[in-house]
Amino acid sequence: MTRIAPSLQAYFTQRMTIEANLSPNTLACYRDTFRLLVGFSARRCAKAPSDLDFADLDAPMVAAFLDHLESERGNTIRSRNVRLAAVHSFFAYASWNHPECAEEIARVLAIPAKRFEATVIGFLSPDEGEALLAAPNITNRTGRRDRAIMFLAIQTGLRISELIALNVGDLHLGHPAFVSCTGKGRKRRATPLGQSCTQVMASWLAERAGTADDVVFPNGRGGRLSRDAIERRIALHARSAAQACPSLATKRVTAHVLRHTAAMRLLEAGVDTTVIALWLGHEQVQTTMVYLRAHMATKERALERTRQPGVEPGRYHPPDPLLAFLEAL
């Protein structure tokens, strides 16, 4: 067994699990990265995975692996960059334990993340949100559960992993009403609940009739819903809601879109981005700036405050339909 195998074992069992205390989702992501990288490198080098060394996992090999992720596995640039971040994390750890491989490690650490074009985030308008919440058939238990999930997601902006992990004891419906959850980085946060959301959740918990340690939104067997199950239910209700609100037919509605919707509603209400970052559990305030870029009303308000010399403030409107037609050509 060469230096790579024991280094990887120590990295996951000591650094990642004990010292960094990373979440299961992050550990799974890093684990899958190295399963893919080691398998790819072993095939290229015609070696057993445990026989690979740092000379085999050099910068050209890692670069070829990253290209393989995009060209053959169909990964996006964002996914490619996440895999590279995992590789960088391991090689930075290995640099302390294997100074004799400093040159190979430094070249891998020098591989840059790939730039990509940022997409505009998707979110629901108030009418679309109301149509979505009205879509579930609340005459049955599954419909009432789904409505409670979507209501809580739109009001609080919880991540899908946070919704899945909620227990009955995490919901506090007194005064004030709030939900507490553990987000990324194992950070615990509390998010207040509005009156309507509190009523919906109180009704659901009364029907759920669980103990503090029971899951809030169980599947048919009483266990936790999977990510795919929640996404399928949201997509199902979005298709149904599109009959009453046709604009929903042009949107791909996911749990993350509901999270974006919560953020955009806060922004429209004039809430400061630092508060929105705390609300959503963002590590950095800069992450929240994406909502400012997507929110046209904020930009238009800025335009209205801008006054050019000799021009009345406000947005230009063509004086006549004919001129508007000609100017649009």
Side-chain angles (χ1 to χ4, degrees), residues 140-192:
N140 62 62
R141 178 182 172 89
T142 300
R144 292 190 291 272
R145 180 203 65 188
D146 292 352
R147 182 171 183 267
I149 291 173
M150 295 189 296
F151 213 116
L152 189 64
I154 289 177
Q155 209 258 279
T156 63
L158 294 184
R159 299 178 179 90
I160 188 170
S161 59
E162 295 165 351
L163 290 169
I164 292 170
L166 283 181
N167 291 330
V168 172
D170 295 325
L171 285 161
H172 308 269
L173 304 182
H175 299 285
F178 65 94
V179 57
S180 58
C181 69
T182 303
K184 284 187 175 181
R186 299 185 186 275
K187 292 182 175 63
R188 194 78 179 168
R189 74 180 189 278
T191 307

Side-chain angles (χ1 to χ4, degrees), residues 1-17 27 29-39 41 48-54 57 83 86-95 97-98:
M1 185 178 292
T2 60
R3 289 168 292 189
I4 285 286
S7 294
L8 271 175
Q9 291 174 354
Y11 173 71
F12 278 102
T13 58
Q14 182 68 29
R15 172 58 63 86
M16 302 293 280
T17 306
L27 280 174
C29 176
Y30 278 45
R31 174 205 65 201
D32 292 343
T33 296
F34 284 98
R35 288 176 60 187
L36 292 170
L37 175 59
V38 168
S41 303
S50 57
D51 291 335
L52 293 172
D53 208 338
F54 286 102
L57 294 183
R83 300 298 189 198
V87 173
H88 279 171
S89 175
F90 166 68
F91 274 81
Y93 167 78
S95 66
N97 299 311
H98 297 286

Side-chain angles (χ1 to χ4, degrees), residues 98-121:
H98 297 286
E100 72 279 7
C101 302
E103 290 187 11
E104 292 92 343
I105 291 173
R107 283 192 286 268
V108 172
L109 292 176
I111 298 175
K114 196 170 185 178
R115 297 180 65 87
F116 57 90
E117 183 177 347
T119 57
V120 178
I121 63 170

